[in-house]
């Protein structure tokens, strides 16, 4: 029926105000059920939900509840019934949220949910209130104070005072239904006030339990600054230590280390903001990833670069820039073309877990061999990190778990201070030896053997503070025009695939922690495409590695309990500001190399753990899964070891921890093309690439159920489009979305 019946019934009730109970009974018999309107106004429903405290957890947002007009008319009619009897009838109190009478009141209203698709109704046992969908549509009030409903859903008033059941001339006492204010209603309304002025949609976005700040929440300016800085401090080990490895290996100076660190801070801040607005829109920090570190070491240890003496750093950096740009273009095409959506079908936790773990395991030959150059610093650093992150993680100071969140920066500050006192106390002073003299110019044999220790342990050996300017803005092509070669470009194209697989696992894990649903394949493709674009920027600015989603993001969200997109953006702005201050990069470049290597030992181990934790989405006890993961990891370490045993002729000039990355120039693969030989030897000497290939083939060929494999379940595009709450989480800004209206495959 039409909703206009409400006003008609109310008018009749007013006309019979003084006419007696017989006219009341006849009027009640003509009341028809209130049907929900199909052409409802979403704003009207939101207003009704906010006023009544109704919250639905149905994420589809397709079923409609009773409209605001029906609801208001319902209570007006009940007030009219009360006025008919002059207020002398017994008061019937109805809970305004549950839609049913309070206990021992004599009247009960049974809610019925009307299904719009087939017109059928569901009983009360299938309907819920306050977080569940339910609608009080049909009511039938009898003279004995009970509620009845006939078979076809119409409401009939039955007056049976004389026991004949005919309802003729029987005086009846009409109950008065009066909505009562409930104190808890204000609390429910308060919960409906969402950040940015958004009201809850029928899908009902809910903040996951345990989070201090949800994805779209804005806790205020000061908390945003605190949460933003906290987020990036917990990722400090991943943001600043890569230059400490690659720049010295490329022949760069301390000033070059400071400049590359400032460049990385700038690129990380800019790319994080871009990804937050135009990527997946999840609170994920972008930065120089360890995925690109191993191939960078392979390229810079090529045979033709070992003998360079003049401008070695700039030449290798330009080579890396060209390779990163080409690989990033391939990654962007993979995302924007929608091919990534098809590729997602073959990427599952059993593939992601060993691949990410192999990224961390690839540096076992570098970790402690480098840190062991100064064990009096590195061992206390590793122990302190473990104590803070594991043993003291539950200790709260002023309501904050300081040791768990700031384990890395706190331990660095303490051990750095300890190393300063060791240096000032003369622990690294050797008679007749000066730390300012390069090892190549040392003539005394007794000093030559101590040069390595002084370089890695002393806190005053770096001249970055003296050489760096106070204000320096990194700019594109600051190292020169990039150099493009086929061999290095092929390496980075394959590595971009590994970075995409790594990011897919991070997207899914992060979305589970901050949202009720993961993104759609189109949104994942959009994120991968944006990562490719961000890596192009990293190549142009010359950060030495590509930019991708840091795997440690999931760990950071877990320990900080902050998933605010705004907080990540504010922290990114601070990174950009810090990059303009040259002395900030100089301070970070002054960290002793042994201390940096010991922190990296912990960070790489954490990446291994985060990668293996992805198996929680599959059946970890399955023999199929554990075999695929075990074989992938073993072959991923063993096959590159076979290629790495072909050591270069000039291996004596390389540190022992760089020898495994020099196999590209002297590997066993020989095709007749030097460019292709270099690329194939390099690719097969990378642990993460071999692990990905083995895991990918085995997981997609060995039989197994979807549940056993833990196949990622991504949201469908129509589900997100129909759920305004999820739409506001993942959708692009309106003006940007208009420019990409043609790209349906990107989930815009």
């Amino acid at each position: 029926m039409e909703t206009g019946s409400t006003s008609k019934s109310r008018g009749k009730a007013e006309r019979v105000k003084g006419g007696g109970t017989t006219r009341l009974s006849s009027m009640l018999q003509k009341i028809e059920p209130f049907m929900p309107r199909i052409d409802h106004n979403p704003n009207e429903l939101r207003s009704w939900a906010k006023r009544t405290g109704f919250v639905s957890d149905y994420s589809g947002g397709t079923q409609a509840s009773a409209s605001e007009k029906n609801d208001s008319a319902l209570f007006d009619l009940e007030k009219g019934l009360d006025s008919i009897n002059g207020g002398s009838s017994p008061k019937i109190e109805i809970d305004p949220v549950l839609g049913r009478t309070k206990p021992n009141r004599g009247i009960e209203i049974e809610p019925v949910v009307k299904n719009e698709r087939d017109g059928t109704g569901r009983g009360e046992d299938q309907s819920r209130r306050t977080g569940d969908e339910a609608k009080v549509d049909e009511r039938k009030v009898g003279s004995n104070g009970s509620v009845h409903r006939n078979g076809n859903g119409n409401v009939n008033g039955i007056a049976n005072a004389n026991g004949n059941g005919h309802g003729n001339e029987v005086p009846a006492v009409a109950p008065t239904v009066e909505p009562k204010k409930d104190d808890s209603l204000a609390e429910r309304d308060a919960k409906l006030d969402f950040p940015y002025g958004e009201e809850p949609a029928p899908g009902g976005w809910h903040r996951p339990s345990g989070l201090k700040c949800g994805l779209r929440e804005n806790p205020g300016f000061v908390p945003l600054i605190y949460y933003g800085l906290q987020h990036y401090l917990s990722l400090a080990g991943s943001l600043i230590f890569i230059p400490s490895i690659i720049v010295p290996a490329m022949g760069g100076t301390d000033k070059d280390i400071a400049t590359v660190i400032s460049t990385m801070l700038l690129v990380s801040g800019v790319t994080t903001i871009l990804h937050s607005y135009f990527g997946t829109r999840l609170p994920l920090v972008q930065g120089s990833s360890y995925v690109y570190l191993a191939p960078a070491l392979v390229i810079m240890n090529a045979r033709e670069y070992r003998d360079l003496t003049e401008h070695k750093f700039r030449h290798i950096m330009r080579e890396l820039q060209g390779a990163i740009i080409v690989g990033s273009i391939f990654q962007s095409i993979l995302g924007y073309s929608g091919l990534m959506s098809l590729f997602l079908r073959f990427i599952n936790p059993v593939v992601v877990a060993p691949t990410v773990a192999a990224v961390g395991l690839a540096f076992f030959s570098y970790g402690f061999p480098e840190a062991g150059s100064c064990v009096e610093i590195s061992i206390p650093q590793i122990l302190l990190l473990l104590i803070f992150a594991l043993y003291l993680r539950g200790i709260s100071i002023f309501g904050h778990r300081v040791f768990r969140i700031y384990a890395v920066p706190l331990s660095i500050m303490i051990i750095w201070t300890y190393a300063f006192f060791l240096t000032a106390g003369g622990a690294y002073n050797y008679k007749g030896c000066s730390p300012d003299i390069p090892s190549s110019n040392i003539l005394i044999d007794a000093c030559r053997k101590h040069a390595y220790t002084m370089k890695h342990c002393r806190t005053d050996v770096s001249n970055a503070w003296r050489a760096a300017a106070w204000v320096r803005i990194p700019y594109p092509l600051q190292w020169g025009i990039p150099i493009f070669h086929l061999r290095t470009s092929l390496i980075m194209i394959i590595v971009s695939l590994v970075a995409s697989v790594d990011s897919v696992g991070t997207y899914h894990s992060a979305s589970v922690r901050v949202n009720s649903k993961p993104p759609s394949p189109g949104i994942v493709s959009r994120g991968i495409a944006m990562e490719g674009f961000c890596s192009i920027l990293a190549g142009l600015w010359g950060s030495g590695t590509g930019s991708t989603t840091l795997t440690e993001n999931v760990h950071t969200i877990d320990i900080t309990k902050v998933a605010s997109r705004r907080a990540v953006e504010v922290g990114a702005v601070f990174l950009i500001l810090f990059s303009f201050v040259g002395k900030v990069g100089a301070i970070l470049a002054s960290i002793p190399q042994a201390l940096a290597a010991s922190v990296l030992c912990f960070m790489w181990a954490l990446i291994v753990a985060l990668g293996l934790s992805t198996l929680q989405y599959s059946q970890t006890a399955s023999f199929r899964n554990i075999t695929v993961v075990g074989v992938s990891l073993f072959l991923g370490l063993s096959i590159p070891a076979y290629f790495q045993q072909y050591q270069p002729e000039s291996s004596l000039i390389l540190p022992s921890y760089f020898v495994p990355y020099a196999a590209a120039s002297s590997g066993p693969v020989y095709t007749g093309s030097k460019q292709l030989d270099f690329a194939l030897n390099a690719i097969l000497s990378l642990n993460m690439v071999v692990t990905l290939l083995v895991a990918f083939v085995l997981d997609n060929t060995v039989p197994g159920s979807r549940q056993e494999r833990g196949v990622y379940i991504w949201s469908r595009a129509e589900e997100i489009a129909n759920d305004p709450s999820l739409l506001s989480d993942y959708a692009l800004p309106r003006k940007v979305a208009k420019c990409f209206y043609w790209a349906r495959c990107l989930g815009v």
Side-chain angles (χ1 to χ4, degrees):
M1 64 164 284
E2 298 179 355
T3 57
S5 61
T6 303
S7 58
K8 295 179 181 179
S9 300
R10 183 170 55 187
K12 291 183 179 181
E14 293 175 352
R15 287 195 297 270
V16 300
K17 181 175 181 181
T21 58
T22 302
R23 297 172 63 185
L24 172 62
S25 300
S26 61
M27 181 272 295
L28 288 175
Q29 290 181 0
K30 296 180 180 180
I31 297 179
E32 299 182 8
F34 296 96
M35 303 293 293
R37 294 185 308 175
I38 298 177
D39 55 340
H40 61 268
N41 185 355
N43 294 329
E44 189 179 40
L45 288 178
R46 293 176 188 172
S47 176
W48 171 83
K50 186 172 183 179
R51 190 184 70 257
T52 60
F54 175 80
V55 180
S56 171
D57 65 350
Y58 180 64
S59 60
T62 56
Q63 290 192 359
S65 60
S67 65
E68 180 185 5
K69 293 184 179 180
N70 285 348
D71 188 72
S72 60
L74 199 58
F75 284 110
D76 290 342
L77 175 60
E78 291 163 351
K79 291 180 181 179
L81 291 175
D82 181 52
S83 63
I84 293 174
N85 295 277
S88 60
S89 59
K91 299 286 184 180
I92 305 298
E93 297 181 356
I94 292 183
D95 191 308
V97 176
L98 296 180
R100 58 181 66 178
T101 57
K102 299 289 182 67
N104 301 325
R105 292 294 182 180
I107 199 167
E108 181 176 356
I109 298 177
E110 180 182 10
V112 170
V113 180
K114 191 71 176 177
N115 193 329
E116 292 181 2
R117 296 181 179 178
D118 54 12
T120 60
R122 291 184 294 178
E124 181 183 355
D125 57 334
Q126 297 179 352
S127 60
R128 296 169 294 178
R129 280 284 188 180
T130 312
D132 299 332
E133 52 185 351
K135 309 164 187 70
V136 180
D137 293 337
E138 303 170 0
R139 305 183 178 190
K140 180 178 178 182
V141 182
S143 61
N144 57 357
S146 61
V147 177
H148 302 279
R149 181 180 292 103
N150 59 15
N152 59 6
N154 294 329
V155 179
N156 298 326
I158 302 177
N160 194 8
N162 59 0
N164 57 9
H166 296 291
N168 296 325
E169 302 296 334
V170 179
V173 179
T176 300
V177 181
E178 184 176 285
K180 182 180 179 180
K181 287 289 182 182
D182 192 352
D183 295 336
S184 63
L185 186 59
E187 299 177 1
R188 296 186 184 96
D189 286 340
K191 292 180 180 180
L192 292 174
D193 293 333
F194 281 79
Y196 312 139
E198 300 175 29
E199 289 185 337
W205 173 82
H206 303 282
R207 179 203 302 178
S209 60
L211 284 182
K212 295 180 181 178
C213 192
L215 178 64
R216 290 182 285 118
E217 291 190 64
N218 185 359
F221 183 71
V222 175
L224 275 179
I225 295 177
Y226 170 74
Y227 289 147
L229 293 177
Q230 168 187 272
H231 203 89
Y232 285 87
L233 282 174
S234 63
L235 290 169
S238 303
L239 292 173
I240 63 176
F241 286 130
I242 289 182
S244 300
I245 300 176
I246 63 174
V247 175
M250 297 162 63
T253 62
D254 296 330
K255 181 180 178 181
D256 294 330
I257 298 176
T259 303
V260 174
I261 289 178
S262 297
T263 303
M264 281 191 172
L265 294 179
L266 174 65
V267 171
S268 179
V270 172
T271 56
T272 298
I273 294 176
L274 288 176
H275 191 84
S276 177
Y277 278 98
F278 311 117
T280 60
R281 310 211 67 194
L282 291 170
L284 301 175
V285 176
Q286 309 294 301
S288 296
S289 173
Y290 297 119
V291 174
Y292 288 93
L293 178 57
L297 292 174
V298 168
I299 293 174
M300 68 182 62
N301 283 289
R303 179 181 300 154
E304 54 267 32
Y305 300 143
R306 297 173 197 154
D307 300 329
L308 286 178
T309 57
E310 192 172 342
H311 305 298
K312 178 180 179 180
F313 169 74
R314 286 182 174 269
H315 187 83
I316 298 177
M317 178 63 78
R318 291 162 57 199
E319 185 83 35
L320 289 176
Q321 287 181 261
I324 292 171
I325 291 174
V326 173
S328 303
I329 292 175
F330 172 81
Q331 189 178 18
S332 293
I333 295 174
L334 183 67
Y336 285 127
S337 65
L339 292 176
M340 192 65 200
S341 300
L342 303 177
F343 191 49
L344 279 180
R345 303 177 183 178
F346 308 102
I347 302 177
N348 298 307
V350 181
V351 177
V352 173
T355 302
V356 177
V359 173
L361 292 174
F363 304 104
F364 73 93
S365 62
Y366 177 89
F368 200 78
E370 176 72 3
S373 60
C374 193
V375 292
E376 60 270 19
I377 292 178
S378 59
I379 290 181
Q381 173 65 48
I382 295 174
L383 291 177
L384 198 61
L385 262 174
L386 295 176
I387 291 173
F388 285 170
L390 298 178
Y391 296 98
L392 301 182
R393 58 178 177 161
I395 296 180
S396 179
I397 300 179
F398 300 110
H400 301 280
R401 296 188 176 182
V402 177
F403 296 107
R404 184 180 182 183
I405 298 175
Y406 306 109
V408 172
L410 270 180
S411 61
I412 290 176
M413 292 177 62
I414 293 174
I415 300 301
W416 198 0
T417 305
Y418 163 68
F420 172 78
F421 283 113
L422 286 180
T423 303
Y428 306 113
N429 290 340
Y430 302 98
K431 186 177 180 180
C433 303
S434 173
D436 298 329
I437 300 177
S439 57
S440 59
N441 297 335
I442 295 178
L443 301 178
I444 305 175
D445 293 338
C447 293
R448 190 172 298 165
K449 65 179 182 180
H450 298 304
Y452 189 79
T453 301
M454 290 189 294
K455 179 181 179 182
H456 287 73
C457 302
R458 295 182 66 96
T459 57
D460 60 352
V461 71
S462 174
N463 63 352
W465 177 264
R466 297 186 295 270
W470 276 101
V471 178
R472 183 187 184 278
I473 301 178
Y475 55 91
L477 306 179
Q478 57 187 336
W479 311 115
I481 303 299
I483 300 175
F484 299 93
H485 282 134
L486 176 63
R487 58 179 188 173
T488 55
S489 300
L490 289 176
I491 295 173
M492 284 302 178
I493 287 175
I494 300 300
V495 171
S496 67
L497 291 176
V498 179
S500 300
V501 172
D502 186 0
S503 297
V504 166
T506 305
Y507 291 166
H508 187 275
S509 299
S511 64
V512 169
R513 284 163 173 78
V514 303
N515 275 326
S516 58
K517 284 188 176 182
S520 65
I523 295 174
V524 174
S525 295
R526 192 176 72 204
I528 297 299
M530 181 51 60
E531 285 191 14
F533 177 76
C534 293
S535 290
I536 294 176
L537 298 181
L540 292 175
W541 258 262
S543 62
T545 60
S547 178
T548 185
T549 300
L550 298 180
T551 310
E552 302 87 314
N553 274 290
V554 177
H555 173 68
T556 299
I557 294 175
D558 278 341
I559 63 175
T560 61
K561 304 301 180 184
V562 175
S564 173
R565 191 160 52 206
R566 281 286 181 88
V568 173
E569 294 166 2
V570 170
V573 172
F574 276 96
L575 281 191
I576 296 174
L577 295 178
F578 290 151
S579 70
F580 296 158
V581 183
K583 295 297 184 182
V584 172
I587 293 175
L588 298 176
S590 302
I591 297 177
Q593 291 187 15
L595 191 153
S598 57
V599 174
L600 288 173
C601 288
F602 176 81
M603 298 305 301
W604 288 329
L606 179 62
I607 291 176
V608 175
L610 291 173
L612 294 178
S613 68
T614 310
L615 291 173
Q616 65 182 305
Y617 303 110
S618 65
Q619 293 183 358
T620 54
S622 167
F623 176 77
R624 173 197 180 277
N625 292 345
I626 60 178
T627 302
V628 170
V629 173
V631 171
S632 302
L633 279 177
F634 179 80
L635 293 181
L637 296 175
S638 185
I639 292 178
Y642 167 74
F643 283 82
Q644 293 166 4
Q645 71 180 349
Y646 290 86
Q647 298 182 4
E649 299 174 358
S650 57
S651 60
L652 295 177
I653 68 174
L654 291 176
S656 60
Y657 45 79
F658 282 151
V659 171
Y661 303 104
S665 299
S666 54
V669 175
Y670 179 77
T671 62
S673 172
K674 292 184 178 180
Q675 297 278 343
L676 188 59
D677 291 346
F678 184 91
L680 291 177
N681 284 312
I683 290 171
L684 293 176
S685 67
L686 296 176
N687 304 89
M688 54 187 177
V689 174
V690 177
T691 302
L692 172 61
L693 292 176
V694 176
F696 184 85
V697 172
L698 291 179
D699 184 56
N700 289 282
T701 56
V702 177
S705 64
R706 294 175 59 88
Q707 182 179 5
E708 182 182 16
R709 298 170 62 194
V711 175
Y712 285 136
I713 300 177
W714 305 101
S715 300
R716 292 181 298 175
E718 55 269 22
E719 291 178 352
I720 294 181
N722 293 331
D723 192 332
S725 137
L726 289 176
L727 189 63
S728 58
D729 286 346
Y730 292 119
L732 291 173
R734 292 183 179 180
K735 294 183 179 179
V736 178
K738 291 180 180 178
C739 300
F740 289 91
Y741 70 95
W742 50 270
R744 299 299 180 186
C745 59
L746 301 181
V748 297

